[in-house]
Amino acid sequence: MAGHTHSIGDARLDKAVTDWLTWDKNPKTLELVKQMVADGKKEDLQACFGSRMEFGTAGLRAAMGPGISQMNDLTIIQTTQGFCRYLEKNINDLKERGVVIGYDARAHPASGGSSKRFARLAATTFVSQGIKVYMFSDITPTPFVPYAVTHLKLCAGIMVTASHNPKQDNGYKVYWENGAQIIPPHDSGIAQSIEENLEPWPTAWDDTVIDDSSLLQDPYQSINKDYFKDIQKHCFHRDINKASKVKFVHTSVHGVGHKFVQSAFKAFDFSPPLPVEEQKDPDPEFTTVKYPNPEEGKGVLKLSFALAEKEGARIILANDPDADRLAVAEKQESGEWKVFSGNELGALLGWWIFTCWKEKNQDPEAVKNVYMLASTVSSKILRAIAVKEGFHFEETLTGFKWMGNRAKQLIDQGKTVLFAFEEAIGYMCCPFVLDKDGVSAAVIAAELASYLATKNVTLTQQLNSIFNKYGYHISQNSYFICYDQKTIHDLFEHLRNYNGEKAYPKLCGKIDVSSVRDLTTGYDSNQPDNKAILPTSKSSQMITFTFANGGVATMRTSGTEPKIKYYAELCAAPGNSDFDMLKKELDDLADAIEEYFFQPEKNKLQRKTE
């Protein structure tokens, strides 16, 4: 098809479309593009070919469909070719050690894309270059990929998943040889390498070559065996688990988690949790939920509540579809269900993991070697526990990539990293996985609940004891939706020039601002030289305000969604336990942030709807 027959007046777009028609061998996406060209659908072509998906530290995340802006066979081939060349440049023994590839159960019949298909094409790319590939023969939780990288000492890992995103999306998540997600400069290095390797290599489309290749190995059985053996080192109360009468309901929300959480319970000598039947098998349509995201609270848990009521279960464990995150709900005396926030569960798990460690380590010196981590937008409760108990607490930038990389550095220095968490219901309870892991978190939460039950204490009561001992930490997180990049940019620039030139706000409504840290520009008013200690990133917006009343609030843009998020927390000193008063103070702070810093009416922002 000659270039001029579908010219749309933009040379770069024309070239992208022409290349596509030459290179794409997937009949469905090829046909969709040919149809757009034939019908002269300029806007559709612009949407599909205007710009390539951005390869960032989270890898790729986009809708499945035709064109360079979406996830499909050709963009997976191009991405993997770029990643492969980047690895060859940076790692000497790549061929011998190889890479691991995992995938979830997502599929998009209209464009012929699926996680398994994408994984096979990625494997084909590496095998064609003589590189050993460990590809799981079946769906696995995301944490199995970083586990395999570390456990088998591989060079890299790829997980094809869009986690808890809507059903039409998919993603391509990348781990480095240290077992953690990539951080800069690898993201931009890989992105550049993708641009340099766009034309499919000769055997790129022939995925049958991997079927009888000696370079392809299936780690499914061995990783399953070893993971559930390793997890047992984190089981501290086997006798209680064996005898436990606590009933648990578990949902995998149409994702991969069911089988693996059953195995984890077995490894801890529990009787199996009761699965939500309608949601236990993988279903790329996520038929029973609007969004497959347990973070969205009660809507996703409707079927879990119903099963729990029927079976008389008091606790619900919910994984997201790739089983790297965990939500927990507990039935209250009143008959209502309480869904714990990510911060509350972080407090419970952090307290519990430290308590178990302390029982095993009586030497008072040992605690000085112990670390816990949390991202900067997560609750500071671990800091309060650390101060009182004598271990170290460190903050990192948002995202498990930072906590995983920092944990690895600390472990390499001989430190003990016990726990890391982020408020988005992500928990690293077993540092043999340097990423969030909803499988280990589920069974450790179950052991905590069973232990407390022997003392007639609920999770909710234990959370209050933690707050009474270490100080109340209550948080409120929310977001506004905004599709306009300029509005977002202007909103943050307004905060940097609040009262005239280059000055941040001194007040938020009536509440005094005591310090400001801006990780977009690298400014921190708390440091003697006004320079922030945490790494800064010009490509994303993030400002943290500390208030005179003990409040902290961070405003930031999301890396994967059109949202401006905020995270507000009130940290009270131990002994101040007037919860209602603290809650009112937090609500006032959140209202003031929305009204004065977001200005939703002026900026035409869409509020989070339940």
Side-chain angles (χ1 to χ4, degrees):
M1 192 168 192
H4 63 266
T5 57
H6 62 269
S7 174
I8 18 192
D10 175 340
R12 210 171 49 109
L13 198 63
D14 279 350
K15 178 166 172 26
V17 174
T18 307
D19 286 345
W20 187 275
L21 296 171
T22 313
W23 293 340
D24 189 11
K25 302 267 183 284
N26 174 320
K28 288 189 174 174
T29 42
L30 182 60
E31 194 43 51
L32 287 165
V33 175
K34 279 184 176 165
Q35 210 46 57
M36 278 185 241
V37 172
D39 298 344
K41 293 224 167 120
K42 210 165 169 178
E43 275 170 24
D44 293 357
L45 286 165
Q46 184 64 47
C48 293
F49 293 96
S51 60
R52 177 169 291 280
M53 280 180 291
E54 203 176 321
F55 189 96
T57 46
L60 300 172
R61 184 83 61 93
M64 291 180 270
I68 61 175
S69 67
Q70 302 195 83
M71 301 279 295
N72 51 61
D73 289 3
L74 180 51
T75 51
I76 290 292
I77 288 170
Q78 294 172 325
T79 300
T80 311
Q81 290 181 167
F83 185 33
C84 179
R85 288 286 180 258
Y86 185 79
L87 286 168
E88 286 168 346
K89 248 192 290 206
N90 286 278
I91 297 177
N92 295 329
D93 49 0
L94 174 64
K95 280 191 169 157
E96 294 72 52
R97 279 162 58 208
V99 301
V100 59
I101 301 175
Y103 51 92
D104 68 11
R106 285 177 178 260
H108 187 249
S111 66
S114 73
S115 297
K116 184 170 188 173
R117 165 90 183 141
F118 294 162
R120 283 183 61 86
L121 288 168
T124 304
T125 301
F126 283 107
V127 167
S128 76
Q129 305 304 299
I131 296 160
K132 197 190 263 182
V133 174
Y134 296 81
M135 186 175 79
F136 287 102
S137 55
D138 203 349
I139 53 172
T140 64
T142 293
F144 274 35
V145 169
Y147 175 74
V149 173
T150 304
H151 190 63
L152 303 172
K153 302 185 173 54
L154 307 180
C155 297
I158 296 167
M159 178 70 193
V160 184
T161 177
S163 188
H164 52 275
N165 272 39
K167 65 179 183 183
Q168 67 273 15
D169 289 0
N170 216 327
Y172 184 105
K173 199 171 180 183
V174 173
Y175 296 85
W176 199 244
E177 62 175 336
N178 65 355
Q181 282 182 65
I182 55 164
I183 50 173
H186 292 313
D187 54 339
S188 49
I190 295 165
Q192 190 189 336
S193 184
I194 294 168
E195 291 291 350
E196 291 161 3
N197 291 281
L198 293 178
E199 183 169 348
W201 299 337
T203 57
W205 288 96
D206 183 11
D207 64 329
T208 58
V209 301
I210 60 173
D211 293 324
D212 45 13
S213 169
S214 59
L215 291 171
L216 188 79
Q217 298 194 6
D218 173 16
Y220 189 85
Q221 298 301 341
S222 68
I223 290 295
N224 253 304
K225 190 168 107 274
D226 295 347
Y227 175 92
F228 291 110
K229 202 165 80 197
D230 277 347
I231 204 178
Q232 293 181 36
K233 299 176 190 131
H234 298 265
C235 176
F236 295 102
H237 296 278
R238 204 168 278 285
D239 297 345
I240 290 177
N241 301 349
K242 254 190 192 133
S244 178
K245 294 279 174 278
V246 181
K247 278 187 171 178
F248 298 96
V249 158
H250 174 249
T251 177
S252 37
V253 193
H254 301 300
V256 304
H258 170 73
K259 198 165 140 182
F260 302 96
V261 170
Q262 295 275 326
S263 300
F265 267 62
K266 202 166 158 183
F268 271 50
D269 270 331
F270 276 111
S271 36
L274 305 161
V276 176
E277 282 297 329
E278 302 93 322
Q279 298 178 335
K280 85 176 175 41
D281 297 324
D283 169 13
E285 293 299 316
F286 302 108
T287 315
T288 65
V289 292
K290 196 173 164 195
Y291 299 109
N293 183 0
E295 235 188 325
E296 300 285 336
K298 296 195 168 169
V300 180
L301 298 177
K302 219 155 90 184
L303 293 169
S304 303
F305 294 140
L307 179 64
E309 298 288 355
K310 187 177 139 216
E311 298 286 349
R314 204 168 49 81
I315 292 176
I316 291 167
L317 304 166
N319 289 120
D320 67 342
D322 66 329
D324 64 349
R325 306 193 312 158
L326 173 75
V328 175
E330 180 180 59
K331 194 171 188 180
Q332 306 296 296
E333 288 291 305
S334 66
E336 285 287 299
W337 285 92
K338 172 179 170 64
V339 181
F340 293 97
S341 72
N343 284 329
E344 291 170 334
L345 194 50
L348 282 163
L349 288 170
W351 168 81
W352 172 241
I353 287 167
F354 180 72
T355 304
C356 294
W357 177 87
K358 205 166 144 182
E359 249 170 53
K360 280 252 192 299
N361 295 272
Q362 297 302 323
D363 171 16
E365 282 301 291
V367 74
K368 295 180 177 158
N369 212 23
V370 167
Y371 280 75
M372 288 197 187
L373 310 174
S375 68
T376 177
V377 297
S378 301
S379 171
K380 309 287 176 269
I381 184 67
L382 295 184
R383 182 176 66 192
I385 300 175
V387 166
K388 206 160 182 156
E389 300 293 348
F391 63 88
H392 298 269
F393 167 70
E394 276 192 21
E395 258 192 355
T396 70
L397 290 179
T398 315
F400 251 92
K401 58 194 173 208
W402 298 104
M403 283 180 273
N405 278 283
R406 180 61 184 143
K408 180 74 171 103
Q409 283 178 339
L410 290 165
I411 291 165
D412 288 348
Q413 292 164 20
K415 312 289 186 205
T416 301
V417 177
L418 281 184
F419 178 62
F421 93 98
E422 64 179 3
E423 52 67 47
I425 62 173
Y427 309 96
M428 178 181 105
C429 300
C430 308
F432 58 72
V433 172
L434 294 173
D435 198 6
K436 51 187 183 283
D437 179 351
V439 178
S440 58
V443 75
I444 287 168
E447 184 169 78
L448 159 62
S450 298
Y451 170 85
L452 291 174
T454 64
K455 310 252 184 279
N456 266 332
V457 174
T458 65
L459 290 171
T460 307
Q461 289 165 334
Q462 182 55 42
L463 181 64
N464 286 326
S465 316
I466 293 169
F467 285 152
N468 279 320
K469 182 170 180 184
Y470 302 105
Y472 267 85
H473 285 61
I474 56 173
S475 53
Q476 182 178 321
N477 304 342
S478 192
Y479 59 80
F480 289 93
I481 295 172
C482 181
Y483 293 95
D484 180 32
Q485 288 305 316
K486 186 181 182 316
T487 302
I488 295 176
H489 177 263
D490 292 350
L491 184 150
F492 281 91
E493 280 308 307
H494 173 66
L495 291 171
R496 295 185 179 105
N497 304 286
Y498 199 72
N499 302 325
E501 202 45 35
K502 291 249 194 291
Y504 293 89
K506 307 250 185 312
L507 281 171
C508 179
K510 300 191 181 80
I511 307 162
D512 284 315
V513 176
S514 53
S515 69
V516 179
R517 183 186 64 193
D518 186 337
L519 288 179
T520 306
T521 63
Y523 170 82
D524 186 346
S525 68
N526 262 336
Q527 299 306 322
D529 58 357
N530 284 347
K531 280 195 172 58
I533 295 168
L534 286 176
T536 57
S537 163
K538 294 208 182 355
S539 61
S540 57
Q541 300 280 0
M542 178 152 146
I543 305 179
T544 301
F545 299 95
T546 306
F547 299 93
N549 64 359
V552 186
T554 295
M555 294 170 59
R556 64 180 277 264
T557 47
S558 162
T560 51
E561 300 162 305
K563 292 175 179 174
I564 316 174
K565 303 183 172 184
Y566 74 83
Y567 309 79
E569 179 169 49
L570 208 56
C571 312
N576 176 358
S577 56
D578 184 345
F579 180 77
D580 293 333
M581 195 193 79
L582 292 168
K583 180 81 179 84
K584 186 182 173 331
E585 213 171 320
L586 177 67
D587 288 341
D588 291 347
L589 177 62
D591 289 346
I593 289 163
E594 289 197 0
E595 185 181 339
Y596 296 101
F597 287 4
F598 278 92
Q599 301 178 298
E601 280 69 38
K602 182 190 139 195
N603 289 313
K604 298 190 178 55
L605 305 177
Q606 197 179 323
R607 282 180 187 278
K608 173 186 176 178
T609 49
E610 272 318 317

